[in-house]
Amino acid sequence: MALSNSQYETIMREYEDRQTSARHLVEARTAEVYARVTGYRALCESIASISVSQGKKLLSGDENALEDLHASISSLSAKKQQLLQEAGYPADYLTPVYHCPDCMDTGYIDGSKCHCFKQAIIDLLYEQSGIREQLEKENFSTLSYDYYQGDDLQRFQNAVRACKNFIKTFDSDYHNLFFYGTVGTGKSFLSGCIARELIESGHSVIYFSAAGLFETLSRNMFDYKNKDDIVSFHEDLYGCDLLIIDDLGTEYTNNVAVSVFFSLLNQRHLNKKSTIISTNLSLEDLRNRYSDRVFSRVTNQYTICKFTGTDIRMLKKRLQNRK
């Protein structure tokens, strides 16, 4: 994915902090060695002096100046190492200590993102998704069909296939998912599975409970003091690769909130940014509660997956109580 400017700046600030810390550590250790190791500072000053002297000779046309410089620096560096070790310091004591030695905490190797930068992107996306801890438990590695039977099992298997296809074609096809059905049948779980896979592949995912989303949208409508923060929030909301709205129907709604909700869905559709909505409402309840416009948007532009069965959370609790 292409990082937003704010996301890129957040990561680069971390790299700048790392480089600053490494530089300060070297400076502190150098001052310590100068104070404790007799002759070490003089050798460093000699290297600097010889470099300037030989540089002048090189500019004046002395063809042997560069070779002489390398020989002198090599000899003096060996003496520095000897002094360090004789004083009880490791040979690399004054070498910068980097979090990532491969890129030396720049984030790039030969103009390409280092593996540590790619991991930093994933870590940032997890942090901004708001569901890092949840996704450690809710992912395809913990998926089980053991709690479903008959038609319930068939519906859940169909939903899993839809989720895996959603992930597989995410970068090539624009599509959305709408999960509805009875409580505790895996809707939020599968949303988490998708979020985990997409974040791991470097896509931005934002999760909101419906109650949290509507409350935030309503509050922002009357907040005239924090315009920059609100603009940034809406840019993320409209522009993230995937927006997950969980438990639609649990929030307080009114005509204004419903209108703002439709605008959000419509703008993300225009931006071709995918959305997943989960709810315990029936399709009829969806139409009655959120207007024909929202109902039409969902039924025409979302893949609809119905979930049925026993509340898995309650079932797990009963099984644990029997042990």
Side-chain angles (χ1 to χ4, degrees):
M1 64 159 288
L3 291 174
S4 68
N5 288 336
S6 62
Q7 289 173 326
Y8 181 80
E9 289 168 0
T10 297
I11 293 175
M12 291 311 298
R13 277 196 299 271
E14 177 64 26
Y15 278 103
E16 290 169 4
D17 290 344
R18 291 178 181 180
Q19 292 176 49
T20 299
S21 296
R23 185 174 64 254
H24 287 170
L25 179 61
V26 170
E27 290 171 352
R29 288 183 171 183
T30 299
E32 175 192 344
V33 169
Y34 281 175
R36 294 186 177 183
V37 182
T38 303
Y40 193 90
R41 180 195 289 269
L43 289 174
C44 292
E45 292 173 349
S46 294
I47 289 176
S49 176
I50 290 173
S51 296
V52 172
S53 175
Q54 295 300 105
K56 290 179 179 179
K57 290 182 180 180
L58 185 63
L59 291 174
S60 65
D62 187 341
E63 296 180 356
N64 297 320
L66 186 59
E67 183 178 347
D68 292 343
L69 175 61
H70 288 162
S72 297
I73 290 178
S74 178
S75 175
L76 292 172
S77 295
K79 292 179 180 179
K80 285 170 57 181
Q81 291 292 86
Q82 183 179 352
L83 285 180
L84 268 183
Q85 291 175 313
E86 288 176 351
Y89 290 99
D92 62 351
Y93 189 66
L94 297 181
T95 301
V97 179
Y98 297 112
H99 284 75
C100 180
D102 295 334
C103 69
M104 295 185 290
D105 289 345
T106 63
Y108 286 84
I109 299 176
D110 297 330
S112 298
K113 291 185 180 72
C114 179
H115 59 85
C116 68
F117 193 99
K118 295 175 182 177
Q119 185 60 49
I121 293 175
I122 292 173
D123 291 342
L124 177 65
L125 296 176
Y126 266 121
E127 193 67 30
Q128 294 185 342
S129 72
I131 49 174
R132 176 189 287 271
E133 293 183 3
Q134 177 182 333
L135 298 188
E136 291 178 359
K137 300 177 182 178
E138 297 182 357
N139 53 74
F140 283 119
S141 68
T142 61
L143 184 148
S144 173
Y145 296 103
D146 294 343
Y147 304 102
Y148 303 88
Q149 295 179 350
D151 291 341
D152 301 335
L153 175 61
Q154 185 64 50
R155 291 191 180 100
F156 187 69
Q157 289 174 328
N158 290 340
V160 171
R161 281 193 290 271
C163 291
K164 291 186 175 181
N165 181 66
F166 181 87
I167 295 165
K168 182 180 179 180
T169 61
F170 190 81
D171 290 323
S172 58
D173 296 333
Y174 160 68
H175 42 191
N176 308 288
L177 293 172
F178 183 79
F179 298 155
Y180 81 102
T182 50
V183 175
T185 48
K187 300 182 294 295
S188 297
F189 177 87
L190 287 184
S191 296
C193 290
I194 292 173
R196 169 77 175 256
E197 295 295 319
L198 291 181
I199 290 174
E200 288 289 340
S201 60
H203 296 86
S204 58
V205 177
I206 292 179
Y207 166 91
F208 262 109
S209 67
L213 175 62
F214 276 69
E215 193 277 331
T216 302
L217 291 173
S218 298
R219 184 177 64 248
N220 287 349
M221 284 191 294
F222 303 101
D223 188 345
Y224 304 106
K225 296 181 180 179
N226 301 300
K227 290 184 178 180
D228 290 343
D229 290 341
I230 292 173
V231 169
S232 178
F233 169 76
H234 282 91
E235 286 177 351
D236 290 341
L237 200 62
Y238 295 145
C240 65
D241 295 325
L242 175 64
L243 173 65
I244 297 175
I245 304 172
D246 195 27
D247 272 343
L248 187 69
T250 59
E251 75 291 340
Y252 171 77
T253 57
N254 54 39
N255 289 337
V256 175
V258 170
S259 178
V260 172
F261 178 53
F262 174 78
S263 295
L264 169 62
L265 299 185
N266 188 57
Q267 188 59 52
R268 287 189 60 79
H269 170 64
L270 294 176
N271 293 344
K272 293 294 184 282
K273 296 296 183 180
S274 296
T275 305
I276 297 176
I277 300 173
S278 68
T279 181
N280 297 329
L281 299 174
S282 67
L283 292 178
E284 182 179 356
D285 290 336
L286 177 72
R287 165 175 265 164
N288 293 337
R289 186 179 177 111
Y290 297 100
S291 79
D292 288 337
R293 290 196 305 170
V294 171
F295 179 80
S296 176
R297 176 73 71 208
V298 169
T299 53
N300 285 291
Q301 294 171 348
Y302 285 63
T303 298
I304 297 178
C305 299
K306 184 176 182 179
F307 292 69
T308 56
T310 304
D311 185 336
I312 294 174
R313 287 184 288 267
M314 295 300 296
L315 181 58
K316 287 181 177 179
K317 188 174 182 180
R318 287 199 297 269
L319 292 174
Q320 289 176 350
N321 291 337
R322 292 176 184 175
K323 294 181 180 179

